[in-house]
């Protein structure tokens, strides 16, 4: 979403109507020094560092301390508060997906067919957090999450704009990722290695799926692939 070479820019090719936003038909360019990006719900700093490598002022934000080695670029605190602070003109967001992802939809109902009240409350809270980020007064927003189940889509209010895979960006792995876009154009594939991925043994191709249970599993599964982070920047 930043141009190649020295002239990094945010180029609005089109803008879908969402909430109070209207369609924009003309391109808008921003000079690199005018861009300030919030990378919400990111402790790894993968996306933040990709922007910083291009000389763009970017800050990761998460309730957790950063693990990317640059605490000076990290805001440990409430991502919603930062998104509504008026300090940013672009945001990449990675809201928690535990209760929104299609992989967990079966847990919304107990074995007897009744609703799991706690899971539904967590789903509602998760969708509200997602919507609050996407509805923030920032003109350029990309929100990333796994494929959502139908109840999450209903609560969020719209389907995703694009589905990408790590193998579209040079990583021979599978992890379906959806993007909800406001202002930004769709992400362009940079290095498609799908055929290589298909040739790998199942446990290697689906490495993230076969990670051992443990406290680090969720963090490892949520980290952004370097190739995707660089494509975003």
């Amino acid at each position: 979403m930043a141009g190649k070479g020295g002239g990094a820019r945010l180029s609005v090719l089109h803008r879908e109507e969402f909430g109070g936003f209207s369609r924009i038909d003309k391109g808008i360019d921003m000079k690199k020094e005018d861009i300030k990006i919030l990378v919400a719900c990111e402790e790894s700093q993968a996306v933040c560092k990709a922007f910083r490598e291009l000389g763009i002022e970017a800050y990761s934000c998460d309730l957790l301390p950063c693990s990317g080695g640059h605490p000076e670029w990290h805001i440990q605190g409430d991502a919603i508060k930062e998104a509504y602070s008026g300090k940013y003109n672009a945001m990449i967001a990675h809201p928690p997906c535990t209760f929104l992802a299609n992989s967990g939809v079966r847990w919304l109902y107990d074995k007897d067919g009744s609703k799991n009240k706690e899971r539904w409350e967590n789903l509602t809270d998760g969708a509200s957090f997602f919507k609050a980020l996407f509805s923030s007064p920032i003109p350029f927003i990309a929100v990333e999450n796994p494929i959502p189940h139908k109840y999450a889509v209903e609560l969020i209010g719209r389907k995703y704009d694009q589905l990408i895979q790590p193998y579209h960006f040079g990583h021979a792995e599978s992890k379906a990722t959806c993007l909800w876009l406001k202002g930004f154009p769709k992400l362009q594939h940079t290095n498609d290695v799908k055929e290589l991925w298909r040739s790998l043994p199942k446990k290697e191709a689906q490495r993230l799926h076969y990670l051992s249970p443990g406290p680090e599993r969720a963090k490892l599964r949520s980290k952004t692939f370097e190739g995707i982070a660089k494509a975003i920047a």
Side-chain angles (χ1 to χ4, degrees), residues 48-56 73 226 230:
C48 176
K49 289 191 291 186
F51 279 112
R52 286 282 178 167
E53 287 174 4
L54 294 173
I56 296 173
W73 301 338
E226 183 180 357
K230 289 186 179 297

Side-chain angles (χ1 to χ4, degrees), residues 73-98:
W73 301 338
H74 186 68
I75 300 163
Q76 187 175 351
D78 184 357
I80 299 294
K81 182 179 179 180
E82 280 299 305
Y84 283 78
S85 68
K87 296 187 292 186
Y88 307 93
N89 45 33
M91 176 174 68
I92 313 298
H94 312 277
C97 63
T98 303

Side-chain angles (χ1 to χ4, degrees), residues 35-110:
I35 302 171
K36 190 171 183 179
I37 297 179
L38 174 66
V39 187
C41 311
E42 182 187 60
E43 59 78 27
S44 70
Q45 297 191 296
V47 175
C48 176
K49 289 191 291 186
F51 279 112
R52 286 282 178 167
E53 287 174 4
L54 294 173
I56 296 173
E57 187 178 1
Y59 297 91
S60 56
C61 178
D62 199 274
L63 294 176
L64 297 173
C66 66
S67 63
H70 288 279
E72 71 276 17
W73 301 338
H74 186 68
I75 300 163
Q76 187 175 351
D78 184 357
I80 299 294
K81 182 179 179 180
E82 280 299 305
Y84 283 78
S85 68
K87 296 187 292 186
Y88 307 93
N89 45 33
M91 176 174 68
I92 313 298
H94 312 277
C97 63
T98 303
F99 303 102
L100 305 177
N102 192 54
S103 57
V105 68
R106 67 186 184 277
W107 303 113
L108 288 172
Y109 291 89
D110 294 324

Side-chain angles (χ1 to χ4, degrees), residues 139-212:
F140 299 89
I141 296 176
V143 179
E144 169 275 326
N145 242 223
I147 297 174
H149 52 68
K150 63 179 182 180
Y151 308 109
V153 172
E154 289 173 2
L155 290 169
I156 291 169
R158 82 202 270 297
K159 194 179 178 182
Y160 52 85
D161 297 290
Q162 185 178 14
L163 189 150
I164 59 175
Q165 289 277 4
Y167 53 67
H168 292 143
F169 304 91
H171 301 275
E173 297 197 48
S174 174
K175 180 192 174 188
T177 300
C178 301
L179 299 176
W180 285 255
L181 303 170
K182 184 176 78 179
F184 282 126
K186 290 182 179 181
L187 204 58
Q188 298 299 307
H189 299 175
T190 57
N191 182 16
D192 197 318
V193 294
K194 186 175 182 179
E195 293 307 312
L196 171 60
W197 168 74
R198 282 178 167 171
S199 70
L200 295 175
K202 185 175 181 180
K203 282 198 173 183
E204 187 175 345
Q206 304 287 344
R207 178 184 65 87
L208 293 175
H209 177 74
Y210 288 101
L211 285 174
S212 300

Side-chain angles (χ1 to χ4, degrees), residues 119-141:
R119 297 285 299 196
W120 278 89
E121 289 175 351
N122 287 330
L123 164 59
T124 301
D125 290 344
S128 295
F129 183 77
F130 185 112
K131 285 185 70 174
L133 285 173
F134 198 63
S135 300
S136 64
I138 298 175
F140 299 89
I141 296 176

